[in-house]
Amino acid sequence: MSSEFDPVLHHFSQYIKLSETLKKELLDRLSFQTFEKGELLHDADKICTKSYFILTGLTRTYYLKDGTEISEYFSSENEWVNSPKSFIGRIKDIYSIDCLEKTETFCLKINDLGYLFDHFPEMERYARLSMGSVFGHLMERITSQRFTTAKEKYEHFLTVYKGIYHRIPLGMTASYLGITQSTLSRLRAEK
């Protein structure tokens, strides 16, 4: 029998064995939330106290620099999104998260996550393993930004976001790549 929680349970089971007790405690703490296109999932002016598992939709994590939005990364189906420094440190940071499409999520509050960590040691393993893949992605992004040409950055972007790049507006893609929209248009024309 299929459950609305199957995607998030499958995600966890990729990293750890989910006991029936952990599964129950996890499901008791998840809440369903829907955000409309353009709605803020997190505002940089607030401390991030929730993490969102995306069922459907697309989000962008960004910051403002001199009044300009700089896209940092994008998250879509079967991924968690939050403002990590704010979420973990319980402090404000520079990142806001908005929805580029109508987005349906399961939400997990920081205090509930703390409870799960305190009572289920396998959740620590989950955090370590899942954050390892996020860390690897961010290191690749740093290398791509610092040591590659605009064309190589764009090719890397197409690889990293292969399933969703066509859903991301061009201006946000250019911002993510650190190039102008005209350079991006030229690169796309070469493909």
Side-chain angles (χ1 to χ4, degrees):
M1 180 179 218
S2 183
S3 160
E4 64 184 311
F5 294 102
D6 283 351
V8 72
L9 294 176
H10 176 72
H11 171 78
F12 277 102
S13 69
Q14 291 177 304
Y15 298 95
I16 59 173
K17 182 171 178 7
L18 283 173
S19 67
E20 288 303 313
T21 307
L22 173 54
K23 193 183 295 186
K24 181 192 178 314
E25 292 290 342
L26 182 60
L27 296 181
D28 285 348
R29 285 164 175 74
L30 288 170
S31 63
F32 181 78
Q33 276 190 271
T34 299
F35 298 89
E36 295 302 319
K37 179 180 179 178
E39 191 175 350
L40 276 182
L41 190 138
H42 172 69
D43 186 337
D45 290 334
K46 298 182 174 143
I47 294 173
C48 184
T49 60
K50 299 175 181 177
S51 191
Y52 300 89
F53 182 82
I54 301 171
L55 294 168
T56 63
L58 178 63
T59 67
R60 170 185 64 138
T61 301
Y62 69 97
Y63 63 95
L64 292 175
K65 181 175 181 184
D66 303 324
T68 301
E69 293 179 355
I70 308 296
S71 299
E72 194 65 27
Y73 60 92
F74 304 94
S75 303
S76 63
E77 290 82 5
N78 300 312
E79 293 181 312
W80 286 97
V81 65
N82 61 48
S83 182
K85 184 177 178 182
S86 179
F87 186 71
I88 294 166
R90 299 186 189 199
I91 57 173
K92 292 181 187 177
D93 69 2
I94 63 172
Y95 295 107
S96 290
I97 304 167
D98 65 355
C99 296
L100 303 183
E101 301 171 353
K102 181 177 179 177
T103 302
E104 295 180 333
T105 69
F106 281 123
C107 170
L108 188 60
K109 295 176 184 173
I110 185 70
N111 292 339
D112 288 330
L113 186 60
Y115 173 87
L116 294 170
F117 283 158
D118 289 344
H119 292 86
F120 297 93
E122 59 269 38
M123 285 297 292
E124 296 270 347
R125 176 178 168 77
Y126 164 77
R128 189 175 66 252
L129 293 173
S130 65
M131 288 311 297
S133 62
V134 171
F135 182 72
H137 170 74
L138 292 176
M139 291 306 296
E140 279 183 22
R141 173 152 164 63
I142 290 167
T143 301
S144 173
Q145 287 296 104
R146 292 183 65 198
F147 303 112
T148 58
T149 66
K151 182 178 182 180
E152 290 168 330
K153 286 177 190 175
Y154 181 59
E155 288 170 351
H156 184 260
F157 171 80
L158 294 178
T159 300
V160 170
Y161 293 110
K162 68 180 172 198
I164 62 168
Y165 69 83
H166 59 283
R167 294 162 53 189
I168 301 169
L170 293 182
M172 292 178 188
T173 299
S175 168
Y176 171 87
L177 296 171
I179 62 177
T180 65
Q181 233 174 305
S182 59
T183 299
L184 177 59
S185 294
R186 181 180 50 77
L187 291 171
R188 292 182 67 214
E190 291 174 7
K191 282 278 175 203

PDB file of all heavy atoms in Angstrom, residues 84-105:
ATOM      1  N   PRO A  84      21.531  26.321   5.637  1.00  0.00           N
ATOM      2  CA  PRO A  84      22.297  25.470   6.562  1.00  0.00           C
ATOM      3  C   PRO A  84      22.935  26.186   7.752  1.00  0.00           C
ATOM      4  O   PRO A  84      22.794  25.732   8.886  1.00  0.00           O
ATOM      5  CB  PRO A  84      23.363  24.830   5.668  1.00  0.00           C
ATOM      6  CG  PRO A  84      22.769  24.853   4.306  1.00  0.00           C
ATOM      7  CD  PRO A  84      21.939  26.111   4.250  1.00  0.00           C
ATOM      8  N   LYS A  85      23.613  27.283   7.505  1.00  0.00           N
ATOM      9  CA  LYS A  85      24.290  27.987   8.607  1.00  0.00           C
ATOM     10  C   LYS A  85      23.267  28.489   9.625  1.00  0.00           C
ATOM     11  O   LYS A  85      23.456  28.365  10.832  1.00  0.00           O
ATOM     12  CB  LYS A  85      25.121  29.140   8.063  1.00  0.00           C
ATOM     13  CG  LYS A  85      25.924  29.862   9.112  1.00  0.00           C
ATOM     14  CD  LYS A  85      26.779  30.949   8.474  1.00  0.00           C
ATOM     15  CE  LYS A  85      27.556  31.711   9.523  1.00  0.00           C
ATOM     16  NZ  LYS A  85      28.349  32.780   8.922  1.00  0.00           N
ATOM     17  N   SER A  86      22.170  29.038   9.143  1.00  0.00           N
ATOM     18  CA  SER A  86      21.115  29.537  10.024  1.00  0.00           C
ATOM     19  C   SER A  86      20.420  28.381  10.741  1.00  0.00           C
ATOM     20  O   SER A  86      20.169  28.446  11.945  1.00  0.00           O
ATOM     21  CB  SER A  86      20.111  30.349   9.212  1.00  0.00           C
ATOM     22  OG  SER A  86      19.068  30.823  10.024  1.00  0.00           O
ATOM     23  N   PHE A  87      20.121  27.309  10.014  1.00  0.00           N
ATOM     24  CA  PHE A  87      19.409  26.163  10.558  1.00  0.00           C
ATOM     25  C   PHE A  87      20.217  25.477  11.654  1.00  0.00           C
ATOM     26  O   PHE A  87      19.710  25.203  12.740  1.00  0.00           O
ATOM     27  CB  PHE A  87      19.090  25.180   9.431  1.00  0.00           C
ATOM     28  CG  PHE A  87      18.235  24.013   9.817  1.00  0.00           C
ATOM     29  CD1 PHE A  87      16.892  24.189  10.117  1.00  0.00           C
ATOM     30  CD2 PHE A  87      18.749  22.735   9.855  1.00  0.00           C
ATOM     31  CE1 PHE A  87      16.081  23.113  10.459  1.00  0.00           C
ATOM     32  CE2 PHE A  87      17.956  21.656  10.197  1.00  0.00           C
ATOM     33  CZ  PHE A  87      16.618  21.832  10.502  1.00  0.00           C
ATOM     34  N   ILE A  88      21.483  25.223  11.384  1.00  0.00           N
ATOM     35  CA  ILE A  88      22.329  24.513  12.347  1.00  0.00           C
ATOM     36  C   ILE A  88      22.759  25.413  13.500  1.00  0.00           C
ATOM     37  O   ILE A  88      22.724  25.029  14.658  1.00  0.00           O
ATOM     38  CB  ILE A  88      23.554  23.901  11.634  1.00  0.00           C
ATOM     39  CG1 ILE A  88      23.078  22.805  10.669  1.00  0.00           C
ATOM     40  CG2 ILE A  88      24.557  23.336  12.640  1.00  0.00           C
ATOM     41  CD1 ILE A  88      24.126  22.352   9.681  1.00  0.00           C
ATOM     42  N   GLY A  89      23.161  26.662  13.172  1.00  0.00           N
ATOM     43  CA  GLY A  89      23.666  27.572  14.196  1.00  0.00           C
ATOM     44  C   GLY A  89      22.611  28.386  14.903  1.00  0.00           C
ATOM     45  O   GLY A  89      22.898  29.087  15.873  1.00  0.00           O
ATOM     46  N   ARG A  90      21.372  28.317  14.384  1.00  0.00           N
ATOM     47  CA  ARG A  90      20.267  29.104  14.936  1.00  0.00           C
ATOM     48  C   ARG A  90      20.609  30.591  14.995  1.00  0.00           C
ATOM     49  O   ARG A  90      20.399  31.269  15.999  1.00  0.00           O
ATOM     50  CB  ARG A  90      19.826  28.559  16.289  1.00  0.00           C
ATOM     51  CG  ARG A  90      19.328  27.125  16.176  1.00  0.00           C
ATOM     52  CD  ARG A  90      18.758  26.614  17.455  1.00  0.00           C
ATOM     53  NE  ARG A  90      18.496  25.173  17.311  1.00  0.00           N
ATOM     54  CZ  ARG A  90      17.701  24.505  18.087  1.00  0.00           C
ATOM     55  NH1 ARG A  90      17.074  25.101  19.061  1.00  0.00           N
ATOM     56  NH2 ARG A  90      17.518  23.229  17.903  1.00  0.00           N
ATOM     57  N   ILE A  91      21.146  31.047  13.862  1.00  0.00           N
ATOM     58  CA  ILE A  91      21.498  32.454  13.689  1.00  0.00           C
ATOM     59  C   ILE A  91      20.985  32.918  12.327  1.00  0.00           C
ATOM     60  O   ILE A  91      20.702  32.093  11.461  1.00  0.00           O
ATOM     61  CB  ILE A  91      23.036  32.672  13.749  1.00  0.00           C
ATOM     62  CG1 ILE A  91      23.724  31.811  12.676  1.00  0.00           C
ATOM     63  CG2 ILE A  91      23.578  32.373  15.140  1.00  0.00           C
ATOM     64  CD1 ILE A  91      25.197  32.059  12.510  1.00  0.00           C
ATOM     65  N   LYS A  92      20.880  34.208  12.138  1.00  0.00           N
ATOM     66  CA  LYS A  92      20.539  34.727  10.822  1.00  0.00           C
ATOM     67  C   LYS A  92      21.757  34.610   9.926  1.00  0.00           C
ATOM     68  O   LYS A  92      22.895  34.672  10.396  1.00  0.00           O
ATOM     69  CB  LYS A  92      20.118  36.197  10.910  1.00  0.00           C
ATOM     70  CG  LYS A  92      18.809  36.414  11.627  1.00  0.00           C
ATOM     71  CD  LYS A  92      18.480  37.890  11.627  1.00  0.00           C
ATOM     72  CE  LYS A  92      17.260  38.169  12.482  1.00  0.00           C
ATOM     73  NZ  LYS A  92      16.968  39.602  12.552  1.00  0.00           N
ATOM     74  N   ASP A  93      21.528  34.424   8.634  1.00  0.00           N
ATOM     75  CA  ASP A  93      22.624  34.502   7.675  1.00  0.00           C
ATOM     76  C   ASP A  93      22.111  35.239   6.447  1.00  0.00           C
ATOM     77  O   ASP A  93      21.070  35.878   6.493  1.00  0.00           O
ATOM     78  CB  ASP A  93      23.227  33.122   7.369  1.00  0.00           C
ATOM     79  CG  ASP A  93      22.315  32.205   6.580  1.00  0.00           C
ATOM     80  OD1 ASP A  93      21.197  32.616   6.202  1.00  0.00           O
ATOM     81  OD2 ASP A  93      22.712  31.057   6.323  1.00  0.00           O
ATOM     82  N   ILE A  94      22.815  35.157   5.352  1.00  0.00           N
ATOM     83  CA  ILE A  94      22.494  35.986   4.189  1.00  0.00           C
ATOM     84  C   ILE A  94      21.480  35.365   3.239  1.00  0.00           C
ATOM     85  O   ILE A  94      20.987  36.040   2.342  1.00  0.00           O
ATOM     86  CB  ILE A  94      23.771  36.342   3.397  1.00  0.00           C
ATOM     87  CG1 ILE A  94      24.436  35.069   2.830  1.00  0.00           C
ATOM     88  CG2 ILE A  94      24.736  37.134   4.268  1.00  0.00           C
ATOM     89  CD1 ILE A  94      25.599  35.336   1.881  1.00  0.00           C
ATOM     90  N   TYR A  95      21.150  34.098   3.416  1.00  0.00           N
ATOM     91  CA  TYR A  95      20.375  33.385   2.400  1.00  0.00           C
ATOM     92  C   TYR A  95      18.866  33.434   2.590  1.00  0.00           C
ATOM     93  O   TYR A  95      18.355  33.241   3.692  1.00  0.00           O
ATOM     94  CB  TYR A  95      20.807  31.919   2.327  1.00  0.00           C
ATOM     95  CG  TYR A  95      22.223  31.776   1.850  1.00  0.00           C
ATOM     96  CD1 TYR A  95      23.236  31.417   2.716  1.00  0.00           C
ATOM     97  CD2 TYR A  95      22.543  32.046   0.525  1.00  0.00           C
ATOM     98  CE1 TYR A  95      24.544  31.313   2.271  1.00  0.00           C
ATOM     99  CE2 TYR A  95      23.844  31.940   0.074  1.00  0.00           C
ATOM    100  CZ  TYR A  95      24.845  31.574   0.955  1.00  0.00           C
ATOM    101  OH  TYR A  95      26.132  31.485   0.514  1.00  0.00           O
ATOM    102  N   SER A  96      18.187  33.665   1.483  1.00  0.00           N
ATOM    103  CA  SER A  96      16.741  33.508   1.381  1.00  0.00           C
ATOM    104  C   SER A  96      16.482  32.355   0.417  1.00  0.00           C
ATOM    105  O   SER A  96      17.345  32.028  -0.407  1.00  0.00           O
ATOM    106  CB  SER A  96      16.089  34.778   0.834  1.00  0.00           C
ATOM    107  OG  SER A  96      16.153  35.824   1.777  1.00  0.00           O
ATOM    108  N   ILE A  97      15.305  31.772   0.527  1.00  0.00           N
ATOM    109  CA  ILE A  97      14.920  30.676  -0.367  1.00  0.00           C
ATOM    110  C   ILE A  97      13.533  31.005  -0.905  1.00  0.00           C
ATOM    111  O   ILE A  97      12.614  31.244  -0.131  1.00  0.00           O
ATOM    112  CB  ILE A  97      14.894  29.326   0.376  1.00  0.00           C
ATOM    113  CG1 ILE A  97      16.238  29.039   1.040  1.00  0.00           C
ATOM    114  CG2 ILE A  97      14.490  28.197  -0.573  1.00  0.00           C
ATOM    115  CD1 ILE A  97      16.228  27.897   2.035  1.00  0.00           C
ATOM    116  N   ASP A  98      13.422  31.029  -2.237  1.00  0.00           N
ATOM    117  CA  ASP A  98      12.114  31.259  -2.835  1.00  0.00           C
ATOM    118  C   ASP A  98      11.743  30.097  -3.740  1.00  0.00           C
ATOM    119  O   ASP A  98      12.575  29.265  -4.093  1.00  0.00           O
ATOM    120  CB  ASP A  98      12.039  32.605  -3.561  1.00  0.00           C
ATOM    121  CG  ASP A  98      12.949  32.729  -4.766  1.00  0.00           C
ATOM    122  OD1 ASP A  98      13.755  31.814  -5.045  1.00  0.00           O
ATOM    123  OD2 ASP A  98      12.869  33.761  -5.452  1.00  0.00           O
ATOM    124  N   CYS A  99      10.461  30.046  -4.063  1.00  0.00           N
ATOM    125  CA  CYS A  99       9.940  28.966  -4.898  1.00  0.00           C
ATOM    126  C   CYS A  99       9.830  29.447  -6.339  1.00  0.00           C
ATOM    127  O   CYS A  99       9.203  30.471  -6.611  1.00  0.00           O
ATOM    128  CB  CYS A  99       8.584  28.514  -4.376  1.00  0.00           C
ATOM    129  SG  CYS A  99       8.698  27.794  -2.728  1.00  0.00           S
ATOM    130  N   LEU A 100      10.442  28.710  -7.251  1.00  0.00           N
ATOM    131  CA  LEU A 100      10.396  29.047  -8.666  1.00  0.00           C
ATOM    132  C   LEU A 100       9.181  28.421  -9.342  1.00  0.00           C
ATOM    133  O   LEU A 100       8.859  28.760 -10.478  1.00  0.00           O
ATOM    134  CB  LEU A 100      11.681  28.599  -9.370  1.00  0.00           C
ATOM    135  CG  LEU A 100      12.976  29.166  -8.783  1.00  0.00           C
ATOM    136  CD1 LEU A 100      14.164  28.715  -9.610  1.00  0.00           C
ATOM    137  CD2 LEU A 100      12.921  30.673  -8.685  1.00  0.00           C
ATOM    138  N   GLU A 101       8.540  27.520  -8.626  1.00  0.00           N
ATOM    139  CA  GLU A 101       7.319  26.863  -9.073  1.00  0.00           C
ATOM    140  C   GLU A 101       6.475  26.610  -7.825  1.00  0.00           C
ATOM    141  O   GLU A 101       6.978  26.726  -6.707  1.00  0.00           O
ATOM    142  CB  GLU A 101       7.627  25.493  -9.696  1.00  0.00           C
ATOM    143  CG  GLU A 101       8.542  25.497 -10.869  1.00  0.00           C
ATOM    144  CD  GLU A 101       8.986  24.105 -11.307  1.00  0.00           C
ATOM    145  OE1 GLU A 101       8.683  23.098 -10.604  1.00  0.00           O
ATOM    146  OE2 GLU A 101       9.624  24.022 -12.348  1.00  0.00           O
ATOM    147  N   LYS A 102       5.226  26.252  -8.027  1.00  0.00           N
ATOM    148  CA  LYS A 102       4.444  25.788  -6.886  1.00  0.00           C
ATOM    149  C   LYS A 102       5.203  24.599  -6.309  1.00  0.00           C
ATOM    150  O   LYS A 102       5.617  23.696  -7.047  1.00  0.00           O
ATOM    151  CB  LYS A 102       3.040  25.373  -7.316  1.00  0.00           C
ATOM    152  CG  LYS A 102       2.187  24.908  -6.164  1.00  0.00           C
ATOM    153  CD  LYS A 102       0.779  24.578  -6.588  1.00  0.00           C
ATOM    154  CE  LYS A 102      -0.009  24.105  -5.374  1.00  0.00           C
ATOM    155  NZ  LYS A 102      -1.402  23.829  -5.722  1.00  0.00           N
ATOM    156  N   THR A 103       5.409  24.601  -4.992  1.00  0.00           N
ATOM    157  CA  THR A 103       6.272  23.605  -4.358  1.00  0.00           C
ATOM    158  C   THR A 103       5.561  22.961  -3.173  1.00  0.00           C
ATOM    159  O   THR A 103       5.097  23.657  -2.274  1.00  0.00           O
ATOM    160  CB  THR A 103       7.598  24.276  -3.913  1.00  0.00           C
ATOM    161  OG1 THR A 103       8.234  24.856  -5.061  1.00  0.00           O
ATOM    162  CG2 THR A 103       8.537  23.281  -3.264  1.00  0.00           C
ATOM    163  N   GLU A 104       5.487  21.635  -3.203  1.00  0.00           N
ATOM    164  CA  GLU A 104       4.896  20.872  -2.108  1.00  0.00           C
ATOM    165  C   GLU A 104       6.020  20.213  -1.322  1.00  0.00           C
ATOM    166  O   GLU A 104       6.933  19.617  -1.911  1.00  0.00           O
ATOM    167  CB  GLU A 104       3.945  19.812  -2.646  1.00  0.00           C
ATOM    168  CG  GLU A 104       2.744  20.406  -3.355  1.00  0.00           C
ATOM    169  CD  GLU A 104       1.803  19.348  -3.892  1.00  0.00           C
ATOM    170  OE1 GLU A 104       2.254  18.216  -4.192  1.00  0.00           O
ATOM    171  OE2 GLU A 104       0.604  19.655  -4.007  1.00  0.00           O
ATOM    172  N   THR A 105       5.957  20.342   0.009  1.00  0.00           N
ATOM    173  CA  THR A 105       7.049  19.867   0.852  1.00  0.00           C
ATOM    174  C   THR A 105       6.534  19.131   2.078  1.00  0.00           C
ATOM    175  O   THR A 105       5.377  19.275   2.467  1.00  0.00           O
ATOM    176  CB  THR A 105       7.899  21.056   1.367  1.00  0.00           C
ATOM    177  OG1 THR A 105       7.123  21.817   2.314  1.00  0.00           O
ATOM    178  CG2 THR A 105       8.366  21.960   0.248  1.00  0.00           C
TER     179      THR A 105
END
